[in-house]
Amino acid sequence: DIQMTQSPSSLSASVGDRLTITCRASQNIGSYLNWYQQKSGKAPKFLIYSASTLQSGVPSRFSGNASGTDFTLTISSLQPADFATYYCQQTYSPPLTFGPGTKVDLK
Amino acid sequence: QVHLVESGGGVVQPGRSLRLSCAASGFTFKWYAMHWVRQAPGKGLEWVAVISDTGNEKEYADSAKGRFTISRDNFQNTVNLQMSSLTTDDTAVYYCVRGAGSGWYGRYFDYWGQGTLVTVSS
């Protein structure tokens, strides 16, 4: 099975900050990497697919990148609505594993 | 507008069975793979199972193999998860999710239901 790791597991930031979350796959997954945002008590929201393609309606301050088995999610200027937990997911092959999540809270 | 509405959650004793259902609307259901994803209290997301658009292909997480069965009805626009031999480790919110993009299981999860809570407790 493909294992996904994320770092950091949590971070504190301020409105306007630029932040980057890293996700690493245990083996090659091509670009089959997605990102989701989840707020407390809510279902996850789909943000990015194929490592770097924004889902329709997702603000352009979100971006994704890939380098080998390392993937990043960047928020260029953190907004109040962005405080949440972020998960990466590989869909290269089943089981379709998620990373453990990165919680972003207010400094 | 896409809607996924789960039902069937509740409190069940260890070793018993439970059947979850998901009613889909707002899209052509028979064109999409459907997944179940769960989240234990305070924990991360865990993919559970997928069924292809036709129902001919299925895959399960190791934690679900041999105990859970996913099925669908393309006339009723529903997807089900039959769970048996439940343990306390199965306690979680279970989400019904649409799989979109290429491949038989879809390459991303674009719509999620609100989830239904399953609590396994004596």
Side-chain angles (χ1 to χ4, degrees):
Chain A
D1 296 357
I2 299 171
Q3 309 302 319
M4 306 301 293
T5 57
Q6 284 183 239
S7 60
S9 57
S10 65
L11 67 90
S12 297
S14 302
V15 173
D17 284 353
R18 177 185 180 90
L19 68 85
T20 297
I21 297 168
T22 298
C23 174
R24 175 170 290 172
S26 61
Q27 65 185 72
N28 175 51
I29 59 169
S31 294
Y32 293 115
L33 189 285
N34 307 316
W35 290 97
Y36 302 87
Q37 175 195 67
Q38 187 179 32
K39 297 182 180 180
S40 181
K42 301 294 187 183
K45 175 187 175 183
F46 174 48
L47 296 178
I48 289 174
Y49 64 99
S50 299
S52 60
T53 304
L54 259 62
Q55 167 69 339
S56 174
V58 174
S60 59
R61 63 181 180 272
F62 289 89
S63 63
N65 211 339
S67 177
T69 58
D70 291 340
F71 302 84
T72 57
L73 172 70
T74 297
I75 306 175
S76 60
S77 178
L78 199 65
Q79 298 302 301
D82 302 337
F83 292 98
T85 300
Y86 293 85
Y87 294 93
C88 63
Q89 178 207 29
Q90 68 82 17
T91 52
Y92 180 77
S93 67
L96 307 179
T97 40
F98 290 89
T102 295
K103 185 176 181 179
V104 177
D105 63 18
L106 184 63
K107 185 183 291 182
Chain B
Q1 189 170 359
V2 173
H3 280 293
L4 300 169
V5 180
E6 302 93 339
S7 61
V11 180
V12 61
Q13 293 179 326
R16 303 299 291 266
S17 299
L18 198 65
R19 181 180 177 89
L20 305 182
S21 293
C22 170
S25 61
F27 66 102
T28 305
F29 181 72
K30 64 182 179 181
W31 289 354
Y32 291 87
M34 296 298 298
H35 300 255
W36 287 94
V37 174
R38 70 183 183 182
Q39 186 170 35
K43 303 298 184 181
L45 301 171
E46 180 188 13
W47 174 80
V48 175
V50 60
I51 187 167
S52 65
D53 52 0
T54 61
N56 290 337
E57 295 174 277
K58 304 174 185 180
E59 283 278 359
Y60 298 91
D62 286 347
S63 59
K65 282 179 185 174
R67 300 188 303 127
F68 294 3
T69 301
I70 191 170
S71 62
R72 66 188 294 158
D73 184 332
N74 283 349
F75 295 99
Q76 299 287 334
N77 288 356
T78 57
V79 58
N80 303 302
L81 186 69
Q82 179 69 44
M83 304 185 294
S84 63
S85 302
L86 288 163
T87 74
T88 55
D89 288 342
D90 297 314
T91 294
V93 173
Y94 285 74
Y95 293 102
C96 171
V97 188
R98 190 176 85 167
S102 63
W104 74 263
Y105 53 81
R107 292 297 186 179
Y108 49 86
F109 296 180
D110 59 350
Y111 287 96
W112 298 61
Q114 84 288 350
T116 188
L117 176 61
V118 173
T119 302
V120 184
S121 173
S122 55

